[in-house]
Amino acid sequence: MIVKMYFINQVPFTFDELPDESIHDEELIKLANNECSYEPEDLYKSSFYLIDEECHPMLFNVELENPEMLPVD
């Protein structure tokens, strides 16, 4: 599945699913194939790492360079 990942200091912490029609976008598929892939366990561990460090931007007030890039929820 291709998703939009969110990172803080290269640590993934959440993602958004893309619309169903994106699975037919050849350019997006090529781009995604050149990126890292993550298992749910990877995201779980990295998210809890950020929580332990009180750096998870969705749970703590964290100074961010690009806060507008966070998920809307």
Side-chain angles (χ1 to χ4, degrees), residues 8-53:
I8 187 163
N9 291 342
Q10 293 77 43
V11 177
F13 65 92
T14 193
F15 67 92
D16 283 333
E17 292 184 13
L18 296 177
D20 290 337
E21 60 270 7
S22 65
I23 63 172
H24 304 294
D25 185 337
E26 293 295 324
E27 190 173 316
L28 181 61
I29 293 169
K30 287 179 186 177
L31 179 64
N33 285 336
N34 291 324
E35 297 295 327
C36 295
S37 61
Y38 295 92
E39 297 294 324
E41 182 72 16
D42 299 327
L43 191 58
Y44 178 81
K45 288 179 181 178
S46 63
S47 189
F48 270 94
Y49 164 74
L50 290 172
I51 292 169
D52 286 344
E53 296 294 322

Side-chain angles (χ1 to χ4, degrees), residues 47-73:
S47 189
F48 270 94
Y49 164 74
L50 290 172
I51 292 169
D52 286 344
E53 296 294 322
E54 296 186 3
C55 292
H56 198 296
M58 309 227 15
L59 300 173
F60 300 97
N61 290 326
V62 179
E63 193 78 26
L64 300 172
E65 287 180 21
N66 302 322
E68 68 278 358
M69 295 183 73
L70 283 175
V72 176
D73 297 319

